[in-house]
Amino acid sequence: MASTITSPATADDRVSARSVGARLLSRPEIGSLVGAAVILVFFLIAAPPFRDINNTGTILYQAALVGVMAVPVALLMIGGEFDLSAGVAVTTSGLTAGLFAYQFSVNVWLGILIALAVSLAVGAFNGWLLMRTGLPSFLVTLGTFFILQGLNIAVTRLASGAVASNSISDMDGFGAAQKVFASEFKLGGVTIKIIIVWWIVFVAIAAWVLLKTQIGNWIFAVGGDAAAARAVGVPVKKVKIGLFMAVGFFAWFAGMQLLFVQNGVVQSGEGVGKEFVYIIAAVVGGCLLTGGYGSVAGGAIGALIFGMVQLGVVYAGWNPDWFKAFLGTMLLLATIVNLVVKNRAEAR
Amino acid sequence: MTTTESFASEAANSPTAPIVHLEDVGKSYGNIQALRGVSLSVRQGEITCVLGDNGAGKSTLIKIIAGLHDYTSGTMSVNGEERHFASPRESLDSGIATVYQDLALAPLMSVWRNFFLGNELTRGPFRQLDERAMKRIANEELTKMGISIPDLEQPVGKLSGGQRQCVAIARAIHFGAKVLILDEPTAALGVNQSGVVLKYVVKARDAGIGVIFITHNPHHAYLVGNHFVVLKLGRVALDTQRADITLEQLTTEMAGGSELEALSHELRDLAPDAVADVQDAIQAQEKE
Ligand SMILES: Nc1ncnc2c1ncn2[C@@H]1O[C@H](COP(=O)(O)OP(=O)(O)OP(=O)(O)O)[C@@H](O)[C@H]1O
Ligand SMILES: [Mg+2]
């Protein structure tokens, strides 16, 4: 509207523009970046095998296993919700593809497509139920967590008579699918698993969507204040259901990786507890538990910290029992660092 | 007060067909009847002031028009067509923009992102956000409003209440509303910023927008209003054109009229020196 109001718009001289440094420090992932650097230096000193370039591929692989799922979990957290079923949903996806292809003796790719449909449907169901009931996502997804955990084991036993799915490694399409989801290649002597490449691609796309598109703007808004977002016309329900379906999509992808890296067999009890690892990666990366704030890159750094610590403990020759304690400490430290850094940046 | 006179002279009646018309509308929240038999017309180029005490049902009334709540009885027509809005999007698409009292903006998001929330500008084949254009326009519109926010990357939660109102109003007007609903926009503002908001309200009216202006303050209402509706306990207690009422009458009506007079008598009996007359009581209430 071309209105021409002449008002005394003298600049407010109490406010000075924030320095570049302060702006950089107010990025959500800055705390985790500092943490990652500290951990890197620590293990470079404490664990000699950590310095071996050949182990870099292994560390990145561990990080990518968590990182792929940390992408949608971070987006969902920024959108103000949790998904406790994310860990077992990965197993559900792998089992679905494996069991379907084997039981119906069809091409592996058909099983993969069915698994995609099932994974998206689980996500859509979580989102729909949440929007329909208005219950907290903690409760709704706790329900789906138990349902999926039970179904994984029960259906597998029913179909294969064992606790793992039947091997599909000699079936049509297996080779090509394994190339896509679980192959590896050499890069300057370092063995790189293909999932690392996928992880980087996913992080780049998701970060772009979050910061540079309308959908991204809406994700921040529904997490920050869903009522205000709805009032200005943001389709809150669609955004939230979409986020849960994104978790479904990535669970599908991670499930395929699981299936094809283990030569076509998935253990039905797998995945329990992983949901917390994904949430930890997102929180360590600076996502606010209450929504409306965070970044995809932060989730990736959180996953990287996870990978470094997990293997660092091993490379340092310590008992792996220490890993969980270390991880919990990391979580606490990271959240405190995030808080302090954020407060200081805002105080400038 | 020179501004009073200029606003008063501008506030002439301009009867046209109503854009939004409510007939006998009621709304209950479970067993609470928040609105009962409310009729109201909003016309282009006219400012309709809705006044009333806390809990009178003002916010409920505008939430119906804004599509946040559906009404439970009566009819609402928009552009002559009977409507039940299922979501605020439908109301927005009918050209009704609302600045809410209690829910305005996402606090952790930056000023420019909030300004364009729901109406983001995009460019290129991948529909990327056009950040530069959005920042520029947000800056221009806010400068017109008379508030300067040097850092548009600042989260909205860090702005003052008045600045937040201005962002929300500037946004509603920028996106070309035909009807603009303002729920107590001046309640949290200082004298200067209230003046700026009132000027903006008048500008919006002159641009042909139908404005619904909700306020506690009869002075602010009388400065700009063409038409006054006073709500009391969910019912319309007064519905009048500007020509038929004086500021004093409006103030008395708004403050509860006869009830206030009775209160003043009661208080006089208790403490004869403390309360002079109704007028003082009203003024005291004004200053609050
Ligand atoms: N969501 C709700 N559920 C139940 N009752 C409600 C709800 N919203 C409002 N009410 C009730 O409806 C009545 C009118 O409330 P409303 O918010 O419309 O008042 P108001 O005139 O805007 O008051 P204020 O001047 O304080 O903003 C009040 O009695 C209130 O308690
Ligand atoms: Mg109100």
Side-chain angles (χ1 to χ4, degrees):
Chain A
M1 207 186 79
S3 60
T4 49
I5 293 177
T6 47
S7 46
T10 46
D12 192 335
D13 56 7
R14 292 168 303 176
V15 198
S16 55
R18 292 197 300 169
S19 68
V20 178
R23 274 197 202 183
L24 203 67
L25 280 181
S26 67
R27 296 283 317 145
E29 61 275 352
I30 197 73
S32 62
L33 203 57
V34 173
V38 169
I39 288 168
L40 179 66
V41 171
F42 175 79
F43 280 117
L44 281 176
I45 295 167
F50 209 87
R51 286 169 234 158
D52 186 348
I53 185 77
N54 290 315
N55 286 332
T56 308
T58 319
I59 293 168
L60 285 176
Y61 177 55
Q62 282 302 322
L65 289 180
V66 172
V68 164
M69 281 305 287
V71 168
V73 168
L75 290 178
L76 185 68
M77 194 176 290
I78 295 166
E81 308 293 343
F82 289 112
D83 189 349
L84 294 182
S85 69
V88 287
V90 172
T91 313
T92 303
S93 153
L95 287 171
T96 306
L99 289 175
F100 187 88
Y102 184 87
Q103 298 295 332
F104 296 95
S105 302
V106 291
N107 190 298
V108 166
W109 284 100
L110 188 58
I112 292 172
L113 280 183
I114 299 290
L116 176 60
V118 168
S119 295
L120 289 176
V122 168
F125 174 77
N126 272 334
W128 172 80
L129 196 64
L130 183 86
M131 290 290 103
R132 192 62 211 259
T133 58
L135 287 168
S137 51
F138 185 88
L139 282 181
V140 169
T141 60
L142 190 65
T144 28
F145 164 74
F146 279 112
I147 294 173
L148 290 183
Q149 194 188 349
L151 283 179
N152 282 352
I153 298 172
V155 173
T156 304
R157 204 188 292 279
L158 212 62
S160 73
V163 290
S165 65
N166 315 86
S167 172
I168 55 166
S169 61
D170 53 358
M171 297 185 65
D172 287 345
F174 184 86
Q178 194 173 38
K179 276 224 163 52
V180 172
F181 294 107
S183 58
E184 57 186 43
F185 60 93
K186 288 267 181 195
L187 189 76
V190 182
T191 306
I192 301 287
K193 306 264 191 191
I194 191 93
I195 191 177
I196 298 171
V197 177
W198 282 118
W199 177 39
I200 294 168
V201 170
F202 290 150
V203 167
I205 293 175
W208 180 78
V209 168
L210 184 65
L211 292 174
K212 301 288 177 192
T213 69
Q214 191 173 39
I215 308 260
N217 219 28
W218 293 353
I219 292 172
F220 279 115
V222 299
D225 189 336
R230 183 169 115 86
V232 294
V234 173
V236 174
K237 285 187 188 179
K238 280 189 197 155
V239 172
K240 291 213 173 183
I241 292 175
L243 284 171
F244 276 99
M245 289 177 73
V247 176
F249 174 83
F250 283 88
W252 166 75
F253 188 89
M256 291 309 101
Q257 199 275 338
L258 188 70
L259 178 65
F260 292 103
V261 85
Q262 297 170 2
N263 277 312
V265 180
V266 176
Q267 301 296 325
S268 60
E270 211 160 326
V272 179
K274 292 273 175 62
E275 60 282 347
F276 288 116
V277 174
Y278 309 145
I279 291 174
I280 287 173
V283 172
V284 165
C287 295
L288 210 57
L289 218 55
T290 44
Y293 189 79
S295 79
V296 174
I301 296 169
L304 197 60
I305 289 179
F306 181 90
M308 287 197 292
V309 174
Q310 191 172 35
L311 287 169
V313 167
V314 175
Y315 292 155
W318 302 337
N319 190 323
D321 298 348
W322 290 99
F323 168 63
K324 285 263 166 73
F326 206 106
L327 197 67
T329 315
M330 275 309 310
L331 176 65
L332 287 180
L333 277 179
T335 36
I336 292 167
V337 167
N338 281 341
L339 201 71
V340 171
V341 169
K342 201 169 148 231
N343 287 345
R344 288 198 43 201
E346 278 168 1
R348 277 180 201 206
Chain B
M1 261 214 316
T2 53
T3 42
T4 316
E5 280 155 19
S6 67
F7 280 134
S9 62
E10 278 174 48
N13 292 335
S14 52
T16 46
I19 318 177
V20 177
H21 181 69
L22 272 64
E23 187 71 52
D24 219 17
V25 162
K27 163 79 192 167
S28 46
Y29 295 108
N31 62 343
I32 303 169
Q33 285 228 306
L35 285 182
R36 295 174 285 187
V38 171
S39 299
L40 177 80
S41 292
V42 182
R43 292 188 166 78
Q44 264 196 319
E46 208 180 275
I47 298 174
T48 303
C49 294
V50 178
L51 299 107
D53 225 338
N54 290 114
K58 306 184 294 295
S59 295
T60 304
L61 178 68
I62 61 113
K63 280 177 181 171
I64 289 172
I65 305 174
L68 273 171
H69 297 321
D70 200 359
Y71 50 98
T72 44
S73 64
T75 54
M76 173 172 71
S77 47
V78 177
N79 295 321
E81 207 182 307
E82 191 179 333
R83 298 295 298 267
H84 277 270
F85 292 135
S87 76
R89 185 81 254 173
E90 289 184 18
S91 172
L92 284 164
D93 289 344
S94 309
I96 301 171
T98 311
V99 177
Y100 297 91
Q101 177 184 21
D102 49 357
L103 40 101
L105 304 159
L108 288 167
M109 289 175 78
S110 65
V111 173
W112 68 268
R113 279 180 185 268
N114 260 292
F115 191 94
F116 281 92
L117 187 55
N119 297 291
E120 291 84 354
L121 302 181
T122 56
R123 65 184 161 80
F126 296 107
R127 306 186 47 71
Q128 190 168 345
L129 290 182
D130 193 349
E131 292 186 24
R132 212 185 298 157
M134 288 196 278
K135 283 180 200 170
R136 181 176 48 77
I137 293 169
N139 190 32
E140 282 169 11
E141 292 294 317
L142 291 172
T143 309
K144 274 193 223 161
M145 274 294 279
I147 57 167
S148 72
I149 300 171
D151 187 0
L152 291 175
E153 292 287 354
Q154 217 179 342
V156 150
K158 299 242 164 241
L159 300 182
S160 77
Q163 286 176 320
R164 250 176 283 176
Q165 276 289 345
C166 286
V167 172
I169 296 174
R171 170 173 75 185
I173 294 184
H174 175 73
F175 289 106
K178 277 185 287 180
V179 176
L180 177 64
I181 304 173
L182 303 167
D183 194 359
E184 308 208 18
T186 55
L189 304 190
V191 177
N192 270 333
Q193 281 197 333
S194 290
V196 173
V197 170
L198 292 176
K199 270 190 235 170
Y200 226 67
V201 170
V202 171
K203 282 282 175 191
R205 180 202 62 194
D206 291 347
I209 298 176
V211 181
I212 304 178
F213 178 34
I214 292 174
T215 178
H216 267 130
N217 188 326
H219 290 276
H220 286 172
Y222 205 75
L223 278 175
V224 297
N226 301 86
H227 173 196
F228 305 96
V229 173
V230 177
L231 287 183
K232 219 170 271 177
L233 299 176
R235 289 185 203 281
V236 175
L238 176 82
D239 184 349
T240 177
Q241 292 296 322
R242 181 190 185 83
D244 304 328
I245 196 165
T246 65
L247 175 60
E248 284 69 32
Q249 284 168 327
L250 186 65
T251 310
T252 320
E253 194 61 46
M254 160 72 202
S258 50
E259 289 130 63
L260 196 65
E261 205 163 345
L263 178 66
S264 128
H265 280 298
E266 241 174 78
L267 290 176
R268 210 191 317 250
D269 290 345
L270 290 173
D273 301 332
V275 182
D277 58 19
V278 182
Q279 213 52 42
D280 277 3
I282 291 166
Q283 275 164 11
Q285 194 189 30
E286 279 311 298
K287 287 192 187 112
E288 229 178 65

